[in-house]
Structures are given as C-alpha cells and as structure tokens.
Amino acid sequence: MTEGNRTSDDQTETTPGTLVVGTFLTLDGVMQAPGDPDEDRDGGFEFGGWVVNYWNDQMQEVLNDQFAEVDSLLLGRKTYEIFAAHWPNVDTEDDPVGTKLNSMPKHVVSRTLDAVEWNNSSLLSGDVAEAVANLKEDHEDVILVQGSQNLIQTLLADDLVDAFWIWVVPLVLGEGKRLFGDGTVPTGLELTYADTSSTGVQLLRYERAGEIDYGSFALEEP
C-alpha cells in the first residue's frame, strides 16, 4: 500500500481481468454531474460542475496514467450519450484520454437504445448482471465503468466490482446521486494508492480485500 503524498509515477497498476469503477466523489458521497451544470439534473439537482475548478495538471497526469491501463469501457445509457455527443467532436491530438475514449471498445448497457453509433461501441443485451459477468469472463483486461450511477448500483448489488478509482473532492453538497446505494454488498477494501492534489482532491485506489473482519471494543466484563 502506498502512503503519504505520492506522484502519479508511483501508481500501482490494477491487475488485468478486473472491473473498475472510476468516479469523482464529494466528501458526502455524491457523484452526480461533476463536470457540467447540465450534465445530469435528475431530481432537480442544481450543483453540477463541482469538480471543474479543482482540476489541475497533476490530476490530468494521473488520469492519463490510469487510462493507459484501461482496455475497454462499460457505460450506462445516460453516460454513453453524454460521452458520444462530446468526445468524437474534440480535437484529441494531444489528449491521450480523449484518444483512448474514441478508439477503445465500449460496452453499453441500455433498455431503450436500439443501436450505438460511437466508434467501437456495442450494446450488451439480456440480464445486466449476467451480461457483465460474461463480459468479465471473456476479457483478460481492465474494464472501466465511468459515470453510469444507475448501472453501478446494479454492479454493486451483484458484487461484480473488483476495484475503485475514487477522487474525493473537498466539498459537500447535501443532495444528489451517491456512489454507494442501499443494495451495496458489504466487502473489505485495500487502499493501494493515495495522493493529494494541490487543490485538495484525494486521488485514491482501492482493490477488494475479502470479507469484513468485524470486532468489538466492548469490555468482556462490564
């Protein structure tokens, strides 16, 4: 486990064959609409764009390193539509993340889409949990789930997530869609990387560490 303030060069690579959830998160666990006020206004959410003014070159370098490990994306419908409307229209000549997003395989979970047009995208059909489990069996690589809050709840409830790349922004919003819902399966995690940006964002990586070992501080004899 890494400790203290580390640079992106010290990142521990995620083992291939894993499903990783990558997300920006507020201190109170909200992941909704980090990048734009109109990204996701579900529930009357009015705080979109909360990560933008914390962004710096260090965070971009760490993100570049993380995406260098990723072989394919798994997206829910809403995030797919946001990405597909944006990234094909961006000049990615000097943008390794954008280049990777446009070129890598993208697996899309949707009950309403009949087709996906973004380059190298395909729809997953049938039961979501079964389809994702089969996807993990068929791919010896790192599959990244970005955004896709509704899809993540299904993945957590069916215990399909192997690792988390979480960037915690030093603010609280008090409302909004949260990463860990009521259906999350309890599991232990190991912190494998930790860094803090100059803007106070905690850059964290966790991998599964088996069942939780419960204990008690209660005295044996009151």
Side-chain angles (χ1 to χ4, degrees):
M1 179 179 76
T2 59
E3 296 177 350
N5 188 30
R6 301 292 181 127
T7 67
S8 60
D9 292 337
D10 295 315
Q11 289 194 80
T12 302
E13 288 194 0
T14 299
T15 304
T18 57
L19 181 66
V20 178
V21 165
T23 187
F24 305 109
L25 208 62
T26 67
L27 196 59
D28 56 338
V30 174
M31 62 175 291
Q32 186 170 357
D36 184 83
D38 294 320
E39 184 177 330
D40 181 2
R41 291 189 178 272
D42 283 1
F45 189 70
E46 298 180 351
F47 306 114
W50 43 268
V51 77
V52 175
N53 290 322
Y54 288 89
W55 199 262
N56 63 12
D57 290 341
Q58 177 192 1
M59 293 166 66
Q60 186 62 55
E61 289 177 4
V62 174
L63 188 68
N64 292 347
D65 289 344
Q66 288 184 345
F67 264 83
E69 298 178 46
V70 177
D71 297 280
S72 60
L73 278 181
L74 176 63
L75 302 172
R77 176 193 60 81
K78 185 171 292 185
T79 299
Y80 166 78
E81 290 180 336
I82 292 171
F83 281 15
H86 176 78
W87 287 108
N89 302 308
V90 172
D91 181 2
T92 60
E93 182 177 354
D94 297 316
D95 183 350
V97 172
T99 300
K100 195 76 177 282
L101 284 168
N102 281 326
S103 62
M104 75 168 71
K106 293 165 279 285
H107 311 282
V108 184
V109 175
S110 174
R111 296 185 179 89
T112 58
L113 294 177
D114 296 321
V116 284
E117 304 297 332
W118 189 14
N119 178 54
N120 215 3
S121 296
S122 60
L123 282 169
L124 289 183
S125 59
D127 178 78
V128 173
E130 182 178 349
V132 173
N134 290 336
L135 186 68
K136 292 176 63 176
E137 287 288 331
D138 294 339
H139 288 69
E140 295 183 358
D141 54 22
V142 176
I143 305 168
L144 177 65
V145 184
Q146 196 76 27
S148 308
Q149 192 267 350
N150 291 335
L151 171 61
I152 289 173
Q153 302 315 301
T154 299
L155 302 177
L156 291 172
D158 286 284
D159 206 19
L160 291 168
V161 179
D162 301 301
F164 296 90
W165 297 347
I166 297 176
W167 290 14
V168 182
V169 181
L171 54 81
V172 296
L173 296 178
E175 64 178 76
K177 298 176 181 177
R178 285 171 164 77
L179 173 58
F180 297 106
D182 292 339
T184 301
V185 175
T187 187
L189 299 172
E190 177 187 3
L191 179 65
T192 58
Y193 173 82
D195 195 2
T196 303
S197 76
S198 61
T199 56
V201 179
Q202 293 180 297
L203 315 176
L204 308 173
R205 295 170 71 133
Y206 294 93
E207 294 189 12
R208 292 176 64 111
E211 296 182 359
I212 300 171
D213 186 12
Y214 298 97
S216 173
F217 287 116
L219 297 174
E220 292 184 9
E221 295 293 335

